[in-house]
Amino acid sequence: MSLAPPDLVLVRYGELALKGGNRRNFERQLARNIKDVVRPIASSVVRREHGRLVVVPARRVEQVARRVSEVFGVKSASLAWSVEANAEAITQLSRELLNDALSDVPESRTVTFRVRVKRADKNFPVQSNALERQVADAILPGPERVTVKLKDPELELGIDIRQEGTYIFLARLRGPGGLPVGTQGRALCLLSGGIDSPVAAWLTMRRGCQLGFVSFHSYPYIGEASKKKVADLARRLGRWQRRAALYVVPFTEIQVAIRDAAPESYRTVLYRRMMQRIASELAEQQGYQALVTGECLGQVASQTLENIACIGAAADLPVLRPLLGHDKEDTIAIAREIGTFEISCIPQPDCCTVFQPSRPIIKGRIDECERAEALMDVGGLVRRAIDGIETIALEGE
Amino acid sequence: MSPIYLDNAATTPITPEVRAALAPFLDTEFGNPSSRYPLGVRAAEAIDRSRALVARASGAEPRDVYFTAGGTEANSMAVLGAARARRGKVEAARVVFGPTEHPCVRNSALALAREGFDVVQAPLDRAGALDLAGLEELLDERCVLVAQMLVNNEFGSLYPVREVSRMTRKRAPHAHVHVDAVQGLGKVDVSIDELGADTLAFSGHKLHAPKGVGALVTRGTVALEPVIYGGGQEHGVRSGTENVAGIVAFGAAASAADDHLEASQSRVRNVRAALVQELDSLDGAAPVVAGPSVDFVCAVELPGPPAEVWQHHLEARGVYTSVGSACQSNTGEVSGALRALGFDERRARQVMRFSFSRYTTEDDVERAARTLHELAPELRAATR
């Protein structure tokens, strides 16, 4: 008879177990986030059991496990089988599990293996060490097929004996770590169609921050497809935060005003100062506590320390720059892993290409920025841009 | 003001007569054409009526019309199917494809190269027309397939397919001649005998039928290895339960296109002339012509910012145009025809495509041209 499918997913979380006072809050948020991502796959029950979560889906348990293993705050997840709390039933199921796992391994290979028992329910009559030996002795097929190795075995059969239930599992899916989204406040991320800003967003979310997205759109210098590209990026990031708002700010009037009033070389820096102003005001209106950008020191002309200072000076909120110390290759590696890279690589112009200066300023000066801005109705431009915002409610993958 | 749609080479709106023809097949006439009861038989009969209509529009026999899921599928079936059916018959079998083929032909040919065929592309001359002498040099006894499109989607270039076929018969007697006529049907007289082709590919949505239907038309029996296997529908050339509603719509659309052919041509000739004349006074604008062409497509090099910026400004005012071929706009590649005409990447980005249907009016293009004139001062300023 073939092995029955696993009936639940054990979810372990790392860091949050350490956070004494906040722990309950973190566990609740993690459970909420897990329910949220699992809901479209299968109706499920999520239980909290001392220091871990147990997800019991009505169907598609493997897909649920894979999905759960991507949720921020999860250290690892395992497909598990629940079993009656007696040595006989445990041994029987353990044998089936091991045989099933071995059926994928070529006959000629020897696999290293161990049994690891955790006995949280001290009413269970056999001690952990004794049970490990007892089960291993009973199920090992022979030394040419399986040898015991206590440290770093290829296969580890876990047996968890708890008051709530006894579970057996084989593999661990590694989670992304970090903190559950929603435990570290809310921030507004400036999202372009490029490679960097989605990665900056992802890193910030991984530290538990809930994000909104703001993007600047210079229609009709830039087409609808560019807006869709940004929305596609935000939707992809929705894999880690299911719901988010994307604020699309009309930016044409501002770019025209800067083109007409400011020295050409300052255009890019001045565009970005206006973005910071608009994002700051929008953040205050919508209750975001910080801004997030994909800026990286020295990566392009607008990202020298001088220019970052000029740009940052226009923000009224703390600006988080999680990529500041990244090399481009580091950022690209993450972008590939999280699936934003291929979207970012679709060639679509963004608003910074509009009226792009032929020789942008490398070491911008704040007083020069302010001198140029004194010739413009900055307050009016910001207000009209904010009044024209289109808000898109995103639902992630 | 109603929008002005000048992107008919990308796709066309479904006309009321086509919609009326297909409507029952989305409703009570849902039968599977392979079923033996009346509901199924009626569906089979509707397909046969469409087959006759498409045959008539292409000068073919009804039994030689095979419905497909579109132009890409018809082209892939012909290119892959004809070459593979001749595999092993000659040493170092060669496949020749035209200089500006649609990606579905070009990439199918390139797939054949990975299967071991000797795949080569025919050249253009300096006017952007097919270089017949250059093509002739590629043709010999080893040649198993020549794929040359009839009308180009980017510039409306009309290729001398009849000469290509004759030359092929003479120099490469074993070769199958395939013609991508997706942009040809409804624009020029498409007669499979006169073109001398073995197969023709059509697409429904380029002539006012819905997306997702097309046809491969053969001249008599030709050797084609199927690309899709299944229950043997369409004589085993293209298995799969037939898209009855789409096929019925395509039949109606092909028939209407054929009926209106001459009227469409003369109407569109005036439409194109009106556009060219209106743009004559726009400083720096010039039509881009790549060899002999149909009037249904008019490419224009625009002054100032890239054509994409013009495109979005036009669309904001309800005028729909295209920048390059909508199929290739994702890759940002410079088209072969433009390279032949000496365009670099910057100039290639200045090219806008206007494409017409028999429903486009002179008033439409005059309004479009007026909008271009109105935008010119602002967009010239954009490049400072």
Side-chain angles (χ1 to χ4, degrees), chain B residues 136 139-141 164-173:
Chain B
E136 191 166 19
L139 300 175
D140 59 29
E141 298 270 329
V164 171
S165 302
R166 281 195 176 156
M167 197 186 272
T168 305
R169 301 292 171 225
K170 205 169 90 194
R171 313 246 325 177

Side-chain angles (χ1 to χ4, degrees), chain B residues 86-265:
Chain B
R86 287 158 184 79
R87 195 202 316 266
K89 302 251 164 74
V90 283
E91 289 276 310
R94 168 171 278 193
V95 169
V96 180
F97 66 100
T100 67
E101 292 300 303
H102 187 275
C104 63
V105 169
R106 192 171 58 238
N107 290 331
S108 294
L110 296 178
L112 289 171
R114 292 192 290 277
E115 293 177 16
F117 288 90
D118 170 29
V119 176
V120 289
Q121 184 172 16
L124 288 167
D125 66 19
R126 268 194 245 150
L130 178 65
D131 177 355
L132 276 171
L135 171 65
E136 191 166 19
E137 285 173 26
L138 303 175
L139 300 175
D140 59 29
E141 298 270 329
R142 297 178 301 136
C143 195
V144 294
L145 171 68
V146 176
Q148 172 57 55
M149 64 171 21
L150 181 57
V151 173
N152 171 270
N153 48 312
E154 293 168 284
F155 307 98
S157 307
L158 175 64
Y159 291 108
V161 166
R162 193 179 162 79
E163 284 67 38
V164 171
S165 302
R166 281 195 176 156
M167 197 186 272
T168 305
R169 301 292 171 225
K170 205 169 90 194
R171 313 246 325 177
H174 308 297
H176 177 107
V177 176
H178 173 65
V179 175
D180 171 3
V182 163
Q183 295 287 356
L185 195 60
K187 298 189 176 83
V188 292
D189 183 43
V190 176
S191 156
I192 193 164
D193 291 327
E194 281 163 33
L195 293 172
D198 293 303
T199 44
L200 299 176
F202 297 141
S203 167
H205 77 105
K206 307 291 189 189
L207 58 154
H208 307 286
K211 284 111 190 123
V213 66
L216 183 70
V217 175
T218 67
R219 188 149 59 119
T221 307
V222 297
L224 284 182
E225 197 173 297
V227 173
I228 292 173
Y229 292 90
Q233 291 89 344
E234 301 296 288
H235 305 293
V237 171
R238 201 288 186 183
S239 286
T241 299
E242 299 87 341
N243 170 10
V244 183
I247 288 170
V248 167
F250 182 34
S255 170
D258 194 44
D259 291 345
H260 294 120
L261 181 62
E262 280 174 31
S264 312
Q265 285 173 332

Side-chain angles (χ1 to χ4, degrees), chain A residues 184-259:
Chain A
Q184 297 296 317
R186 303 172 77 228
L188 185 61
C189 179
L190 284 75
L191 195 63
S192 72
I195 294 167
D196 298 339
S197 52
V199 175
W202 186 83
L203 289 170
T204 313
M205 286 190 221
R206 195 171 68 169
R207 295 310 300 168
C209 198
Q210 189 189 333
L211 293 187
F213 301 102
V214 58
S215 184
F216 298 85
H217 191 50
S218 290
Y219 191 77
Y221 286 91
I222 301 295
E224 282 289 301
S226 296
K227 184 161 93 185
K228 181 180 182 295
K229 179 182 174 185
V230 173
D232 287 347
L233 283 168
R235 261 184 221 108
R236 176 68 205 171
L237 290 166
R239 204 156 171 97
W240 295 276
Q241 177 188 316
R242 282 241 313 142
R243 273 167 289 274
L246 169 63
Y247 306 95
V248 181
V249 182
F251 205 54
T252 314
E253 190 196 354
I254 288 173
Q255 292 196 277
V256 168
I258 290 172
R259 180 194 70 193

